[in-house]
Amino acid sequence: MRLVTRLAAAAIVGIVLCWSAYAEAPALRAERDLFASVNQARRAQGLSPLRWDETLATAARRHAQVMAEHGSAQHGFEGEPSLSVRVKQVGAHFTWLSENVIQGTSPEFIHAQFMKSPPHRANILDGDMDSIGVGVVERGGQLFAVEDFSQAR
């Protein structure tokens, strides 16, 4: 009887974990796709790929959530800390920072728009940067995306 109870409990836990992973999958998939697209663009220009920085990703996800709540892609909202403060609050150490923000329907659309915009493209192709964190939040069929770049200390 104990074995059946343990198996049933394990099955329930597995179902819950799979369901929660599925619920987050589109945003996490978009983050991975954007990360890969940035590094593909950098390699095409002979630049080193950026390494993933989870602290930058945490800051980016928090800002993407704020953008989704406002329904607008902006670098900052009234009452929200600046980029450098947001990144320091999550424990990142950096010499230099930059940020791309946008709202769009897919990672492919988002990356294409960044690459068409000279300032955003410059952030992606900045040879001084060595780290990136990407945050994406989905709301109402829109993806709110933030790419935080840094030159780590």
Side-chain angles (χ1 to χ4, degrees):
M1 189 61 160
R2 283 186 174 170
L3 179 60
V4 171
T5 303
R6 287 183 183 165
L7 288 173
I12 290 170
V13 168
I15 291 168
V16 169
L17 289 175
C18 287
W19 180 80
S20 64
Y22 177 77
E24 293 180 349
L28 292 176
R29 203 170 315 122
E31 290 175 3
R32 284 191 300 273
D33 289 351
L34 288 169
F35 175 60
S37 294
V38 164
N39 279 330
Q40 182 179 16
R42 289 177 63 85
R43 280 191 290 276
Q45 296 298 313
L47 297 168
S48 298
L50 299 174
R51 70 174 178 79
W52 181 264
D53 184 309
E54 190 60 32
T55 57
L56 290 175
T58 298
R61 287 180 190 118
R62 288 181 182 177
H63 185 60
Q65 181 62 45
V66 172
M67 291 188 334
E69 290 167 3
H70 283 85
S72 175
Q74 297 181 31
H75 290 282
F77 295 90
E78 189 173 325
E80 184 184 25
S82 67
L83 170 61
S84 62
V85 171
R86 292 193 309 257
V87 170
K88 286 178 186 174
Q89 286 175 338
V90 296
H93 302 283
F94 58 89
T95 301
W96 187 250
L97 286 173
S98 63
E99 180 179 67
N100 289 346
V101 300
I102 196 169
Q103 116 186 37
T105 55
S106 71
E108 298 79 18
F109 172 83
I110 288 168
H111 183 70
Q113 294 305 304
F114 281 152
M115 293 305 287
K116 289 178 186 176
S117 163
H120 295 105
R121 179 183 175 91
N123 286 342
I124 290 169
L125 300 179
D126 186 339
D128 291 331
M129 298 300 185
D130 58 22
S131 305
I132 186 173
V134 179
V136 176
V137 171
E138 188 276 329
R139 176 169 268 165
Q142 287 289 302
L143 298 175
F144 293 84
V146 178
E147 296 175 341
D148 285 344
F149 303 90
S150 80
Q151 180 184 60
R153 278 199 260 172

